[in-house]
Amino acid sequence: MGCWRGGGGEGARSWLGKGEGSLQTDGYQAYDNIGGPKLVNVGCWAHARRKFVDAVKVNPQDAAAVAMATRMDALFLVDRHARQEQVSIETRLA
């Protein structure tokens, strides 16, 4: 998994046009008006996880941040294992 990078949104805009589907980014606002009305902007879990890890660094006693980072790590491990086992995308989504 990864995020679309670079170009202040121009690369994604030229590639997607008025397309549909999903666009995974880091939430940078340059991506807000890309694609057609059926395009769904989805967040990047790695970027989201980083915010929780930062919160734990600031306050190691923040139980909610620790729990969320731990849950996200568990999901990343499941996904890594599925990729290593070459589980199909359809099965991984299910």
Side-chain angles (χ1 to χ4, degrees):
M1 279 192 241
C3 292
W4 188 279
R5 297 181 190 269
E10 290 308 313
R13 187 174 288 109
S14 67
W15 187 70
L16 287 170
K18 292 293 179 188
E20 57 187 61
S22 299
L23 176 63
Q24 182 180 32
T25 70
D26 60 2
Y28 180 51
Q29 71 185 117
Y31 302 115
D32 287 350
N33 297 313
I34 291 178
K38 293 185 179 181
L39 184 83
V40 176
N41 287 296
V42 297
C44 171
W45 275 79
H47 281 89
R49 180 189 172 278
R50 191 173 308 141
K51 300 297 182 183
F52 288 104
V53 170
D54 288 347
V56 172
K57 288 178 184 175
V58 171
N59 180 6
Q61 305 306 314
D62 185 339
V66 170
M68 186 56 74
T70 302
R71 287 184 189 127
M72 292 172 119
D73 287 345
L75 287 172
F76 284 139
L77 286 173
V78 168
D79 188 61
R80 180 181 306 138
H81 178 73
R83 281 184 280 120
Q84 288 171 344
E85 296 296 315
Q86 298 180 337
V87 175
S88 72
I89 295 291
E90 294 79 15
T91 301
R92 286 168 56 196
L93 288 172

